[in-house]
Amino acid sequence: DAAVPLYEKMVKMSPRKADLHLRLGMAYAELKKPDRAAASYQTAIRLGAKDPRIQQNLAQAYSQAGKRKETIAIYEKMAATKPTAEILNVLVEAYMEEKLYDKAIVTYRKLIELNPKKAAIYSSLAYVYGLKGDVDRQIAYYRMSLRLDPEDDEVYGNLGVAYEKKGLFPDALEAYTKAFELNPDATRAARKIPELRIRIMQQK
């Protein structure tokens, strides 16, 4: 509360100093005034601010102000110049919120390139393919995830759902059984196992 009016006076006295606009923006952000924070960050950028945090601060201000398109645009710019796992994770979350599934898929693949041994990325990518109705790829990526982490009961359960969509009931039963073995509290798996046994008997 005390810093903002001081920075505003300093900005009026030295309107060309990018660092002052940056600090004013950070003070506005602390006061939960994202629109004013964003305006100050934009001025600082226009004046040539070099602080590496400024783009991320601007993106956060846009996000808090509910400006999703502007938020995504900033993170896309950051990902294009320095695609770190942190930035790509934030970007893919924004894509998912906006239901931009094709862009989310591209971003998850970039995350896999950065960290090919992380099982959770493969399962997240499988989930997106499921939302797009591409069950074959959904199954393939769940299986890749399980090769890296064969103890994840939730992924086995999700794999069972995907197999059911394809009508592959024996495979679905196997996946649910494995999920239940790993986690006896997995209620979905516990419910599905007897259901699928009956369906398989009916098919025979």
Side-chain angles (χ1 to χ4, degrees):
D1 291 332
V4 165
L6 289 174
Y7 280 129
E8 286 176 338
K9 288 180 181 179
M10 293 167 73
V11 162
K12 287 180 181 178
M13 293 171 61
S14 305
R16 304 296 300 173
K17 286 192 174 181
D19 187 59
L20 290 177
H21 289 279
L22 170 59
R23 292 176 182 277
L24 177 57
M26 294 170 74
Y28 277 135
E30 290 294 329
L31 286 178
K32 311 298 183 189
K33 295 182 178 180
D35 286 315
R36 291 189 177 184
S40 294
Y41 292 143
Q42 286 173 324
T43 302
I45 292 169
R46 190 170 63 250
L47 293 172
K50 303 298 182 184
D51 193 304
R53 299 169 297 174
I54 193 166
Q55 291 289 343
Q56 193 155 357
N57 288 355
L58 178 57
Q60 288 171 349
Y62 279 143
S63 178
Q64 290 164 4
K67 296 179 177 179
R68 290 185 175 179
K69 289 182 179 179
E70 290 86 346
T71 304
I72 288 173
I74 294 291
Y75 279 117
E76 284 177 336
K77 183 178 178 181
M78 293 171 69
T81 56
K82 192 177 180 182
T84 65
E86 180 185 3
I87 290 169
L88 291 175
N89 274 311
V90 173
L91 182 57
V92 81
E93 286 177 13
Y95 285 148
M96 292 299 291
E97 286 177 4
E98 291 295 302
K99 296 180 171 57
L100 299 172
Y101 299 135
D102 289 328
K103 289 188 174 185
I105 286 169
V106 171
T107 308
Y108 274 127
R109 286 179 174 167
K110 289 179 180 178
L111 281 165
I112 287 172
E113 290 175 8
L114 288 176
N115 195 345
K117 299 294 185 181
K118 190 169 183 179
I121 304 173
Y122 292 88
S123 61
S124 295
L125 183 51
Y127 174 74
V128 183
Y129 275 122
L131 292 174
K132 284 178 60 63
D134 192 337
V135 183
D136 290 327
R137 282 197 175 94
Q138 183 183 22
I139 289 170
Y141 278 97
Y142 277 139
R143 288 172 65 86
M144 290 179 198
S145 176
L146 288 168
R147 280 200 289 270
L148 293 167
D149 182 6
E151 303 298 314
D152 193 325
D153 66 281
E154 187 174 344
V155 174
Y156 272 111
N158 292 337
L159 179 59
V161 173
Y163 277 136
E164 274 196 272
K165 289 179 187 175
K166 292 285 289 184
L168 301 171
F169 301 129
D171 292 319
L173 175 59
E174 184 180 346
Y176 285 129
T177 302
K178 187 65 177 178
F180 185 72
E181 288 173 356
L182 289 167
N183 179 13
D185 293 326
T187 54
R188 177 177 60 180
R191 185 181 71 252
K192 284 291 184 178
I193 289 169
E195 287 181 13
L196 284 168
R197 284 175 177 163
I198 292 169
R199 295 184 75 170
I200 290 167
M201 289 175 65
Q202 289 172 337
Q203 281 186 334
K204 290 180 178 179

